[in-house]
Amino acid sequence: MPRRPDPDLRSRLLAAATAAFAERGFAGATLDAIAAAAGVTKGGLYLHFPGKEALFFAVFDHWRQERRRRLAVQDRSARSAANHLLEFLTAYLRFHLREPAATHLRRVLATELRGRFTAALREDERQELRWLRAQLRELLVAGTQDGTLAAEDPALGSFVLAAALLGALEQWHVAPGDVEAHGREEALARALVGRYATGTSGPPASSPRSEYDFRDRPIA
């Protein structure tokens, strides 16, 4: 009698591969260890993935989709664009700081796999960065329209915000304590939004706060 397929096996393989690639890198992770961690033979792994490259790609794609799902904004009509930008930046940082394995996968791609068989993966990451900048640009444009943000060049602003996000994550890889010393996700996000919410690099301490200055204020 043929064995019934295991409906949870693919999910277990992705979870095991995520941990292995994030902890040991591409070269250090082995299919035997991944299969064992998922409770299946190496042959069972091959039923879902033809090889190590395909498995890494599947893991990377899984976390990319999960990131987009968590960052999805359901309704932007009821609140200001500045608040939505704050929420988006906070959610992006929260995802990566609380799902460190997903962030480590990007590091593996950018370093260990940079010059190897990764044309498709690199193009995928390029599209992901374009998606991130597009989300940020849309919010900056919306903010100039509703008066809650001041961005003379939304395309440039989105590039700078994306660079700041990725730079914060890179510093977190190298020295987590240094990043955490500047506060949690929302504190970092507020610092980024403040540059555009106030329309300046920051008002003098004696200046009255803008209506849209989010420092030390709860999200409305």
Side-chain angles (χ1 to χ4, degrees):
M1 184 175 181
R3 296 179 60 183
R4 298 178 60 183
D6 184 345
D8 300 321
L9 178 55
R10 180 181 172 86
S11 296
R12 295 203 310 275
L13 286 169
L14 290 175
T18 294
F21 287 131
E23 180 180 349
R24 304 181 185 89
F26 186 84
T30 67
L31 294 182
D32 289 299
I34 292 171
V40 70
T41 65
K42 189 175 181 180
L45 183 152
Y46 279 124
L47 291 177
H48 288 270
F49 305 101
K52 198 175 184 181
E53 299 169 34
L55 178 56
F56 183 87
F57 185 89
V59 168
F60 199 80
D61 183 65
H62 165 76
W63 284 106
R64 179 184 58 200
Q65 297 302 325
E66 180 64 13
R67 179 169 58 241
R68 289 195 181 191
R69 184 187 69 80
R70 296 192 196 180
L71 291 173
V73 177
Q74 298 301 319
D75 180 15
R76 293 181 180 174
S77 61
R79 304 175 63 192
S80 73
N83 272 302
H84 285 304
L85 179 60
L86 177 60
E87 291 171 347
F88 183 89
L89 295 173
T90 301
Y92 190 93
L93 289 166
R94 179 178 295 124
F95 173 84
H96 283 283
L97 296 179
R98 300 189 185 184
E99 296 287 359
T103 311
H104 285 300
L105 291 174
R106 298 184 68 175
R107 191 172 180 85
V108 171
L109 176 63
T111 55
E112 190 176 351
L113 301 183
R114 186 180 182 88
R116 297 178 56 187
F117 56 76
T118 54
L121 282 173
R122 285 198 300 272
E123 181 59 26
D124 245 27
E125 183 64 356
R126 182 185 184 192
Q127 294 303 321
E128 186 67 8
L129 290 174
R130 286 180 171 178
W131 173 85
L132 172 60
R133 292 196 299 269
Q135 302 303 303
L136 296 171
R137 183 180 183 278
E138 180 181 339
L139 288 167
L140 289 174
V141 169
T144 62
Q145 294 172 344
D146 71 9
T148 61
L149 296 170
E152 293 183 4
D153 186 342
L156 177 61
S158 67
F159 180 86
V160 171
L161 284 174
L165 288 173
L166 298 176
L169 294 177
E170 179 62 25
Q171 292 182 69
W172 176 73
H173 273 296
V174 177
D178 292 351
V179 174
E180 292 165 1
H182 294 288
R184 300 295 295 172
E185 303 93 347
E186 188 178 321
L188 293 172
R190 286 176 185 277
L192 294 175
V193 175
R195 169 63 182 85
Y196 297 96
T198 64
T200 67
S201 59
S206 58
S207 300
R209 290 188 174 183
S210 162
E211 177 185 356
Y212 304 111
D213 186 345
F214 287 101
R215 291 171 299 172
D216 303 321
R217 288 170 56 184
I219 300 175

